């Protein structure tokens, strides 16, 4: 059949219209939807002091700390938000027990729901590099999006932690901790809400064992905040595995029940332009393998920590040379952040098994004790430099950054019912 010029033009116009509709739909789907929610808060009269029932994020807790938190209180959130176990553990008993613990705490009104859908302004006061600092943000929910929309990752993930968190959320049916996200800002509406909340007494407050003061307020819906943040993009600072898990859980539940509370996830939103959140390094420990010796030899770990510099791509190295523990300073070419350049030009070529720790002393000790062949000591970086990697269309390696401080797990829980 012969196609006329008119039919070709008509077909072309239809194709253009379809593309425009799809593009508009994609943009609409990418619009953030920050929302308030009914949260569960500890009742101190029944639960006791918050210091005894809240914890740091699950993936920062050691086995020894886990035991301490279990012993601190029968109501400690660690009994629900379990420390990650080996992915080879095939039993579901620990997840079922966690669900029973959450049910018990709700029935006994250890955890009590707020009277209405609310936002939760959150503040942390702490010492950093010899100065007193303050970091504020907002706990709310956002609509889950597949990667490539308004929610932006900056690190790669591993399957083990994703599977562990998925099995837990299937059992407990709740968001137990916040995914820490950063917007570019500045957001005048968010700043105003946080300032107004901080002028009143907090609903909950406590100090942790690192000296960080945590304060949380409960504020009823504020449509202005949702509107102001709706066109922002959010970079995940902490919680890549939990966000990946949330996407999988959403897809599971949608297939069974359609839309529901699993379409959203609890987040802690920080305006990077206003708050400048500290980003601590995660040091690399090379378990085995030969390390090429390069750089300038320095006295000790203290001098290494003084010299490392993210902007100048300067890192530290601790190794054994002729039976002695030796410290060096080395420099790379490229663009910051240093952790990206270090993997690209050094670690990825070395191969070998890596371990990660935010504690430089522990990294050095692993080499000193013969548990590792080298420790790579890194400097702090900034949210802006991390975002620059994303803007280049790339991602950082796993465990690249440690945004600190983080909200305390248990200050507010989001149940799906």
């Amino acid at each position: 059949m012969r196609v006329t010029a008119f039919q070709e033009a008509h077909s072309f116009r239809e194709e253009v219209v379809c593309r425009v509709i799809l593009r508009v739909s994609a943009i609409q789907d990418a619009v953030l939807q920050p929302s308030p929610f009914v949260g569960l808060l500890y009742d101190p009269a029944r639960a006791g002091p918050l210091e005894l029932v809240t914890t740091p994020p699950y993936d920062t807790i050691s086995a020894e700390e886990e035991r301490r938190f279990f012993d601190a209180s029968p109501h400690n959130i660690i009994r629900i938000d379990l420390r990650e176990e080996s992915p080879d553990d095939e039993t579901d008993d620990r997840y079922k027990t966690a669900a029973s613990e959450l049910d018990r705490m709700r029935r006994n009104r250890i955890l009590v729901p707020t009277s209405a859908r609310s936002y939760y302004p959150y503040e942390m006061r702490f010492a950093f590099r010899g100065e007193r600092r303050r970091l504020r943000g907002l706990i709310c929910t956002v609509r889950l999006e597949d990667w490539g929309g308004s929610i932006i990752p900056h690190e790669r993930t591993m399957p083990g932690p994703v599977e562990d968190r998925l099995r837990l959320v299937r059992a407990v049916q709740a968001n137990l901790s916040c995914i820490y996200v950063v917007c570019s800002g500045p957001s005048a509406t968010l700043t105003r809400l946080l300032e107004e909340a901080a002028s009143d007494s907090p609903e909950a407050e406590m100090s942790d064992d690192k000296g960080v003061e945590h304060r949380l307020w409960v504020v009823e819906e504020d449509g202005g905040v949702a509107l102001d943040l709706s066109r922002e993009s959010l970079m995940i600072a902490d919680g890549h595995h939990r966000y990946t898990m949330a996407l999988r859980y959403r897809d599971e539940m949608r297939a069974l029940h359609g839309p529901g509370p699993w379409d959203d996830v609890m987040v802690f939103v920080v305006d990077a332009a206003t708050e400048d959140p500290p980003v601590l390094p995660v040091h690399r420990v090379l378990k085995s393998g030969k390390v090429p010796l390069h750089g300038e030899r320095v006295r000790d770990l203290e001098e290494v920590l003084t010299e490392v510099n993210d902007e100048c791509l300067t890192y530290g190295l601790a190794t054994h040379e002729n039976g002695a523990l030796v410290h060096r300073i080395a420099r790379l070419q490229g663009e910051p952040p240093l952790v990206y350049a270090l993997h690209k030009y050094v670690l990825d070529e070395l191969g070998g098994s890596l371990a990660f720790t935010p504690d430089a002393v522990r990294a050095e000790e692993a080499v000193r004790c013969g548990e590792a062949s080298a420790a790579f000591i890194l400097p702090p970086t900034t949210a802006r430099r991390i975002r620059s990697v994303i803007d280049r269309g790339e991602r950082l390696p796993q465990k690249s950054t440690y945004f600190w401080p983080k909200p305390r797990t248990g200050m507010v829980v989001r149940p799906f019912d």
Side-chain angles (χ1 to χ4, degrees):
M1 181 178 66
R2 186 179 174 206
V3 179
T4 67
F6 172 80
Q7 288 173 318
E8 286 182 344
H10 183 69
S11 176
F12 176 75
R13 283 196 299 270
E14 284 185 335
E15 182 180 350
V16 170
V17 169
C18 286
R19 288 179 179 176
V20 170
I21 290 172
L22 289 172
R23 177 59 179 161
V24 170
S25 176
I27 291 172
Q28 288 173 340
D29 289 343
V31 171
L32 283 174
Q33 300 181 45
S35 302
F37 63 93
V38 173
L40 300 177
L41 304 179
Y42 273 109
D43 179 359
R46 291 182 171 88
L50 290 174
E51 285 84 353
L52 300 181
V53 295
T54 61
T55 70
Y58 78 98
D59 55 352
T60 67
I61 297 174
S62 67
E64 293 76 18
E65 289 171 327
E66 181 184 39
R67 288 191 292 270
R68 177 163 59 85
F69 289 129
F70 262 94
D71 294 340
S73 169
H75 311 308
N76 193 289
I77 197 70
I78 193 70
R79 297 171 182 270
I80 306 170
D81 192 34
L82 307 168
R83 188 176 66 89
E84 180 191 332
E85 293 289 341
S86 167
D88 298 328
D89 180 10
E90 295 297 330
T91 67
D92 285 327
D93 291 348
R94 56 196 300 270
Y95 303 106
K96 293 176 182 177
T97 301
S100 297
E101 285 293 301
L102 178 57
D103 181 63
R104 174 187 67 81
M105 292 188 201
R106 295 184 68 176
R107 282 188 288 104
N108 296 335
R109 297 190 65 77
I110 305 298
L111 287 167
V112 182
T114 55
S115 59
R117 286 160 44 92
S118 304
Y119 289 113
Y120 305 88
Y122 198 100
E123 178 183 88
M124 292 171 281
R125 294 179 179 269
F126 54 97
F128 183 64
R129 294 184 172 182
E131 297 181 358
R132 292 298 301 174
R133 289 279 305 275
R134 182 203 71 196
L135 181 66
R136 287 177 178 170
L138 185 70
I139 296 176
C140 60
T141 65
V142 294
R143 183 59 46 90
L144 284 162
E145 299 177 2
D146 294 332
W147 301 123
S150 300
I151 310 293
I152 304 171
H154 78 268
E155 287 185 352
R156 302 184 184 98
T157 58
M158 298 175 287
V162 173
E163 183 63 28
D164 168 69
R165 293 297 97 179
L166 181 59
R167 294 166 73 180
L168 180 61
V169 80
R170 286 171 180 156
V172 302
Q173 299 283 292
N175 291 146
L176 302 172
S177 57
C178 302
I179 295 173
Y180 186 158
V181 297
V182 175
C183 68
S184 298
S187 169
T189 307
L190 177 57
T191 300
R192 173 188 55 78
L193 176 61
L194 298 176
E195 289 286 352
E196 289 178 356
S199 65
D200 293 331
S201 298
E203 183 75 20
E205 59 182 326
M206 54 88 59
S207 295
D208 66 26
D209 56 1
K210 299 293 190 295
V212 181
E213 301 170 17
H214 300 257
R215 305 205 298 169
L216 176 139
W217 291 262
V218 179
V219 177
E220 291 187 6
E221 291 191 44
D222 186 324
V225 171
L227 183 62
D228 198 33
L229 294 177
S230 64
R231 292 293 175 179
E232 283 278 359
S233 61
L234 301 179
M235 181 183 72
I236 296 180
D238 182 66
H240 288 80
H241 292 96
R242 280 170 289 155
Y243 192 89
T244 303
M245 173 278 298
L247 289 174
R248 284 184 56 185
Y249 183 69
R250 177 203 65 183
D251 293 344
E252 286 183 4
M253 296 302 285
R254 276 183 177 176
L256 294 171
H257 306 290
W262 39 81
D263 290 329
D264 302 297
V265 69
M266 183 169 68
V267 297
F268 172 61
V269 183
V270 172
D271 180 348
T274 304
E275 298 294 328
D276 188 25
V279 187
L280 306 185
V282 181
H283 308 294
R284 272 56 186 144
V285 179
L286 185 65
K287 293 297 194 67
S288 61
K290 185 174 178 60
V291 181
L293 301 179
H294 53 275
E296 176 186 356
R297 187 166 175 172
V298 295
R299 187 180 68 250
D300 54 19
L301 181 61
E302 181 181 0
E303 189 167 352
V304 167
L305 293 172
T306 301
E307 294 293 330
V308 291
N309 186 294
D310 195 56
E311 185 174 2
C312 299
L313 298 182
T314 305
Y315 67 94
L317 183 66
T319 60
H320 270 117
E321 299 179 31
N322 300 320
L325 181 65
V326 172
H327 299 84
R328 293 179 178 273
I329 289 293
R331 293 172 179 82
L332 296 171
Q333 299 295 320
E335 297 181 12
L338 183 141
V339 65
Y340 177 82
L342 181 65
H343 273 263
K344 183 175 182 179
Y345 298 114
V346 179
L347 294 179
D348 290 351
E349 294 183 3
L350 286 178
S353 174
L354 286 177
F356 311 91
T357 176
D359 189 334
V361 174
R362 287 188 180 181
E364 180 199 49
E365 186 63 22
V367 179
R368 188 191 305 276
C369 296
E371 298 174 359
S373 57
F376 293 83
I377 309 301
L378 280 63
T381 187
T382 65
R384 178 179 57 80
R385 288 178 185 149
I386 297 169
R387 186 61 184 258
S388 71
V389 175
I390 296 170
D391 292 341
R392 298 198 301 263
E394 298 169 305
R395 285 197 199 182
L396 295 175
Q398 62 179 336
K399 299 293 183 183
S400 287
T401 58
Y402 188 80
F403 280 75
W404 182 86
K406 306 178 193 294
R408 193 84 167 170
T409 299
M411 293 293 278
V412 60
V413 172
R414 176 191 171 239
F416 292 162
D417 58 6

